[in-house]
Amino acid sequence: MKKFIVLFSISFIVFACSHKTTSSTSSSVEKTSSATVSHTQFMEGKAVFEANCQKCHKLKEPADHTPEQWSKILDKMAPKAKLTDEQKQQVFNFVSVNAKSS
């Protein structure tokens, strides 16, 4: 009986002290002031942003501009980077998550 109590106590302590982790799935959502962006959309936008924008210049920090400013920047830069409308939206999804508040 004493072994059972000791074993139970140790098990309880180990369980209580274990780190609780959450799995990241594509259904997780990032909230912005203007839109809701899924994790998958965020990652797709990040990939397009990094692959295309740094071809011509140093990457800008998303927090440097508001979503409205990013929209104007993308309107100007997307044709130069030869982005499709879908890629442009993906980049906007990425930058808008961490854009500075309006």
Side-chain angles (χ1 to χ4, degrees):
M1 181 70 176
K2 204 174 198 181
K3 287 182 181 180
F4 176 76
I5 293 173
V6 170
L7 183 60
F8 177 78
S9 298
I10 291 173
S11 298
F12 180 77
I13 291 170
V14 169
F15 178 77
C17 294
S18 67
H19 294 289
K20 295 181 180 167
T21 59
T22 58
S23 62
S24 177
T25 64
S26 61
S27 64
S28 64
V29 174
E30 303 288 342
K31 178 71 176 151
T32 68
S33 60
S34 61
T36 300
V37 178
S38 72
H39 179 70
T40 301
Q41 291 170 320
F42 177 84
M43 295 308 293
E44 289 170 350
K46 181 178 180 185
V48 173
F49 178 74
E50 290 175 347
N52 292 281
C53 299
Q54 69 182 353
K55 287 180 182 178
C56 299
H57 57 79
K58 182 180 170 190
L59 292 177
K60 305 293 184 193
E61 288 295 322
D64 288 347
H65 304 286
T66 65
E68 293 78 20
Q69 291 170 327
W70 275 115
S71 181
K72 291 177 185 176
I73 292 167
L74 287 171
D75 287 343
K76 179 181 174 185
M77 298 303 292
K80 293 179 182 184
K82 297 182 177 133
L83 298 181
T84 65
D85 288 340
E86 181 182 357
Q87 289 172 319
K88 181 180 165 185
Q89 183 60 48
Q90 289 171 331
V91 172
F92 182 75
N93 290 341
F94 166 67
V95 295
S96 66
V97 168
N98 294 310
K100 71 179 175 182
S101 299
S102 304

